[in-house]
Amino acid sequence: MTRTINAVHQVSRPQGTPTADNFAFVTEELGPLAEGTALVENLYLSVDPYMRQAMDEGHWELNAPLEGRSLGRVIESRTPALAVGEIVGHRKAWRTHAVVSPEEIRRIPDLPGVPLSAHLSAFGGTGLTAWVGLTRVARLQPGESVFISAAAGGVGSAAGQLAKLLGAGRVIGSAGSPAKVKLATERLGYDVAFDYHDGPVMDQLRAAAPDGLDVYLDNVGGDHLEAAIDRLRLNGRIAWSGAIAQYNSVSTPTAPRNLFEVNLKALRLEGYLVSQHMDALPGLYEFLAPHLASGLVVPEATVVEGFDRVVEAFLGLFRGENSGKMLVKVGD
């Protein structure tokens, strides 16, 4: 039996900020399933800032289906390892349906009181990035002060709440609008937050953290990293998860001008890839699931409805249109 599915291909490389012209919606033919595979109808798709880097030469192939975290329901199976009706996670996004093998999926636990979409936010790549950055890389201790950039983004919306639950003494965030500052301080666990458009980040962080910092979770890079280095105390730690401020740059970004303070203060700066820490997910489930079920923690997300808006949702990341994780809902 031949069926058709809808997908998005990247058709050109962006110069600077990506545009809709870099993508094309296509219809693909899907033949009979091979033994050992299953057909998944996608329900939620994740779009993330890291995908901008994947659009450059040497990453995603042109005129081919793209990758990304997804949640879907098995609707046909030719393997006993995947039952029809089962909900699974996988990385074949940017399409309405995907053919997967058991080795390509993540089993989604049934957690009472936890919405399905949380497995792409709080328990997805962004939530796990926050958890790993705070607990494994920065090793945040009770009572310590932490600064988190992009506080109302996918990683930041989880990190602020996790930091509070882990016992941080003061949680400071930066965001891109007054509304996001309000969201950070009223719902996402931040003691104080500032709009980085209101003045130099260095000055605003000095005012927010007059006594210094112990930890910085960096999602932005650039002037935020420079300001954090200025405020970190002796033996402070930086967990560097991303640099969204630089992803669309067409020139080499200027390094922090105070980088030598990493040496003078005996700071530890460590970049990390969440894909190398998937074994941390069970610990995150155990720690966070009760708080999600009780409503103490909010899996903040912006949900865009419809597969035809997936490109729109992705481009919206770079215009700051999301609060929390950006998701695209493509099925019920």
PDB file of all heavy atoms in Angstrom, residues 184-197:
ATOM      1  N   ALA A 184       8.961  35.493  34.345  1.00  0.00           N
ATOM      2  CA  ALA A 184      10.078  34.854  35.056  1.00  0.00           C
ATOM      3  C   ALA A 184       9.938  35.001  36.566  1.00  0.00           C
ATOM      4  O   ALA A 184      10.149  34.046  37.312  1.00  0.00           O
ATOM      5  CB  ALA A 184      11.397  35.441  34.578  1.00  0.00           C
ATOM      6  N   THR A 185       9.579  36.187  37.013  1.00  0.00           N
ATOM      7  CA  THR A 185       9.531  36.429  38.453  1.00  0.00           C
ATOM      8  C   THR A 185       8.227  35.964  39.093  1.00  0.00           C
ATOM      9  O   THR A 185       8.195  35.642  40.279  1.00  0.00           O
ATOM     10  CB  THR A 185       9.734  37.925  38.750  1.00  0.00           C
ATOM     11  OG1 THR A 185       8.781  38.699  38.009  1.00  0.00           O
ATOM     12  CG2 THR A 185      11.141  38.350  38.358  1.00  0.00           C
ATOM     13  N   GLU A 186       7.144  35.906  38.318  1.00  0.00           N
ATOM     14  CA  GLU A 186       5.851  35.522  38.893  1.00  0.00           C
ATOM     15  C   GLU A 186       5.553  34.034  38.787  1.00  0.00           C
ATOM     16  O   GLU A 186       4.817  33.490  39.610  1.00  0.00           O
ATOM     17  CB  GLU A 186       4.725  36.319  38.226  1.00  0.00           C
ATOM     18  CG  GLU A 186       4.769  37.808  38.551  1.00  0.00           C
ATOM     19  CD  GLU A 186       3.565  38.555  38.005  1.00  0.00           C
ATOM     20  OE1 GLU A 186       2.733  37.925  37.291  1.00  0.00           O
ATOM     21  OE2 GLU A 186       3.451  39.761  38.270  1.00  0.00           O
ATOM     22  N   ARG A 187       6.134  33.355  37.773  1.00  0.00           N
ATOM     23  CA  ARG A 187       5.765  31.957  37.561  1.00  0.00           C
ATOM     24  C   ARG A 187       6.941  31.001  37.450  1.00  0.00           C
ATOM     25  O   ARG A 187       6.755  29.793  37.649  1.00  0.00           O
ATOM     26  CB  ARG A 187       4.926  31.824  36.276  1.00  0.00           C
ATOM     27  CG  ARG A 187       3.559  32.462  36.361  1.00  0.00           C
ATOM     28  CD  ARG A 187       2.767  32.219  35.086  1.00  0.00           C
ATOM     29  NE  ARG A 187       2.600  30.787  34.791  1.00  0.00           N
ATOM     30  CZ  ARG A 187       2.055  30.336  33.660  1.00  0.00           C
ATOM     31  NH1 ARG A 187       1.653  31.189  32.740  1.00  0.00           N
ATOM     32  NH2 ARG A 187       1.933  29.042  33.462  1.00  0.00           N
ATOM     33  N   LEU A 188       8.125  31.495  37.141  1.00  0.00           N
ATOM     34  CA  LEU A 188       9.210  30.584  36.767  1.00  0.00           C
ATOM     35  C   LEU A 188      10.327  30.491  37.795  1.00  0.00           C
ATOM     36  O   LEU A 188      11.406  29.978  37.493  1.00  0.00           O
ATOM     37  CB  LEU A 188       9.786  31.005  35.398  1.00  0.00           C
ATOM     38  CG  LEU A 188       8.780  31.009  34.246  1.00  0.00           C
ATOM     39  CD1 LEU A 188       9.455  31.454  32.950  1.00  0.00           C
ATOM     40  CD2 LEU A 188       8.129  29.634  34.065  1.00  0.00           C
ATOM     41  N   GLY A 189      10.098  30.987  38.997  1.00  0.00           N
ATOM     42  CA  GLY A 189      11.041  30.756  40.081  1.00  0.00           C
ATOM     43  C   GLY A 189      12.127  31.791  40.274  1.00  0.00           C
ATOM     44  O   GLY A 189      12.971  31.634  41.173  1.00  0.00           O
ATOM     45  N   TYR A 190      12.146  32.842  39.473  1.00  0.00           N
ATOM     46  CA  TYR A 190      13.218  33.832  39.564  1.00  0.00           C
ATOM     47  C   TYR A 190      12.932  34.853  40.664  1.00  0.00           C
ATOM     48  O   TYR A 190      11.825  35.367  40.785  1.00  0.00           O
ATOM     49  CB  TYR A 190      13.399  34.546  38.224  1.00  0.00           C
ATOM     50  CG  TYR A 190      14.001  33.643  37.172  1.00  0.00           C
ATOM     51  CD1 TYR A 190      13.195  32.795  36.415  1.00  0.00           C
ATOM     52  CD2 TYR A 190      15.371  33.604  36.959  1.00  0.00           C
ATOM     53  CE1 TYR A 190      13.746  31.940  35.470  1.00  0.00           C
ATOM     54  CE2 TYR A 190      15.928  32.758  36.015  1.00  0.00           C
ATOM     55  CZ  TYR A 190      15.115  31.937  35.280  1.00  0.00           C
ATOM     56  OH  TYR A 190      15.667  31.077  34.348  1.00  0.00           O
ATOM     57  N   ASP A 191      13.970  35.155  41.458  1.00  0.00           N
ATOM     58  CA  ASP A 191      13.848  36.188  42.485  1.00  0.00           C
ATOM     59  C   ASP A 191      13.880  37.570  41.864  1.00  0.00           C
ATOM     60  O   ASP A 191      13.205  38.493  42.336  1.00  0.00           O
ATOM     61  CB  ASP A 191      14.982  36.055  43.504  1.00  0.00           C
ATOM     62  CG  ASP A 191      14.905  34.750  44.265  1.00  0.00           C
ATOM     63  OD1 ASP A 191      13.937  34.557  45.011  1.00  0.00           O
ATOM     64  OD2 ASP A 191      15.814  33.906  44.100  1.00  0.00           O
ATOM     65  N   VAL A 192      14.659  37.726  40.816  1.00  0.00           N
ATOM     66  CA  VAL A 192      14.761  39.004  40.113  1.00  0.00           C
ATOM     67  C   VAL A 192      15.134  38.705  38.671  1.00  0.00           C
ATOM     68  O   VAL A 192      15.825  37.724  38.375  1.00  0.00           O
ATOM     69  CB  VAL A 192      15.819  39.923  40.776  1.00  0.00           C
ATOM     70  CG1 VAL A 192      17.208  39.297  40.722  1.00  0.00           C
ATOM     71  CG2 VAL A 192      15.830  41.294  40.132  1.00  0.00           C
ATOM     72  N   ALA A 193      14.641  39.532  37.763  1.00  0.00           N
ATOM     73  CA  ALA A 193      14.979  39.394  36.354  1.00  0.00           C
ATOM     74  C   ALA A 193      15.027  40.780  35.733  1.00  0.00           C
ATOM     75  O   ALA A 193      14.449  41.734  36.264  1.00  0.00           O
ATOM     76  CB  ALA A 193      13.955  38.519  35.625  1.00  0.00           C
ATOM     77  N   PHE A 194      15.738  40.893  34.624  1.00  0.00           N
ATOM     78  CA  PHE A 194      15.830  42.186  33.935  1.00  0.00           C
ATOM     79  C   PHE A 194      15.711  41.981  32.433  1.00  0.00           C
ATOM     80  O   PHE A 194      15.996  40.902  31.902  1.00  0.00           O
ATOM     81  CB  PHE A 194      17.146  42.905  34.278  1.00  0.00           C
ATOM     82  CG  PHE A 194      18.400  42.152  33.928  1.00  0.00           C
ATOM     83  CD1 PHE A 194      18.939  42.204  32.641  1.00  0.00           C
ATOM     84  CD2 PHE A 194      19.058  41.385  34.884  1.00  0.00           C
ATOM     85  CE1 PHE A 194      20.091  41.514  32.313  1.00  0.00           C
ATOM     86  CE2 PHE A 194      20.217  40.688  34.577  1.00  0.00           C
ATOM     87  CZ  PHE A 194      20.736  40.754  33.286  1.00  0.00           C
ATOM     88  N   ASP A 195      15.268  43.042  31.761  1.00  0.00           N
ATOM     89  CA  ASP A 195      15.145  43.065  30.306  1.00  0.00           C
ATOM     90  C   ASP A 195      16.480  43.544  29.740  1.00  0.00           C
ATOM     91  O   ASP A 195      16.904  44.676  29.995  1.00  0.00           O
ATOM     92  CB  ASP A 195      14.012  44.012  29.905  1.00  0.00           C
ATOM     93  CG  ASP A 195      13.750  44.052  28.401  1.00  0.00           C
ATOM     94  OD1 ASP A 195      14.609  43.588  27.625  1.00  0.00           O
ATOM     95  OD2 ASP A 195      12.691  44.569  28.003  1.00  0.00           O
ATOM     96  N   TYR A 196      17.149  42.688  28.979  1.00  0.00           N
ATOM     97  CA  TYR A 196      18.489  43.052  28.490  1.00  0.00           C
ATOM     98  C   TYR A 196      18.455  44.205  27.490  1.00  0.00           C
ATOM     99  O   TYR A 196      19.499  44.779  27.164  1.00  0.00           O
ATOM    100  CB  TYR A 196      19.197  41.834  27.895  1.00  0.00           C
ATOM    101  CG  TYR A 196      18.519  41.196  26.703  1.00  0.00           C
ATOM    102  CD1 TYR A 196      18.675  41.716  25.420  1.00  0.00           C
ATOM    103  CD2 TYR A 196      17.748  40.051  26.838  1.00  0.00           C
ATOM    104  CE1 TYR A 196      18.072  41.132  24.326  1.00  0.00           C
ATOM    105  CE2 TYR A 196      17.146  39.443  25.761  1.00  0.00           C
ATOM    106  CZ  TYR A 196      17.315  39.993  24.496  1.00  0.00           C
ATOM    107  OH  TYR A 196      16.705  39.399  23.408  1.00  0.00           O
ATOM    108  N   HIS A 197      17.256  44.599  27.038  1.00  0.00           N
ATOM    109  CA  HIS A 197      17.150  45.769  26.161  1.00  0.00           C
ATOM    110  C   HIS A 197      17.218  47.081  26.946  1.00  0.00           C
ATOM    111  O   HIS A 197      17.388  48.147  26.348  1.00  0.00           O
ATOM    112  CB  HIS A 197      15.827  45.737  25.386  1.00  0.00           C
ATOM    113  CG  HIS A 197      15.701  44.606  24.418  1.00  0.00           C
ATOM    114  ND1 HIS A 197      14.865  43.531  24.641  1.00  0.00           N
ATOM    115  CD2 HIS A 197      16.306  44.367  23.231  1.00  0.00           C
ATOM    116  CE1 HIS A 197      14.955  42.695  23.626  1.00  0.00           C
ATOM    117  NE2 HIS A 197      15.830  43.167  22.764  1.00  0.00           N
TER     118      HIS A 197
END
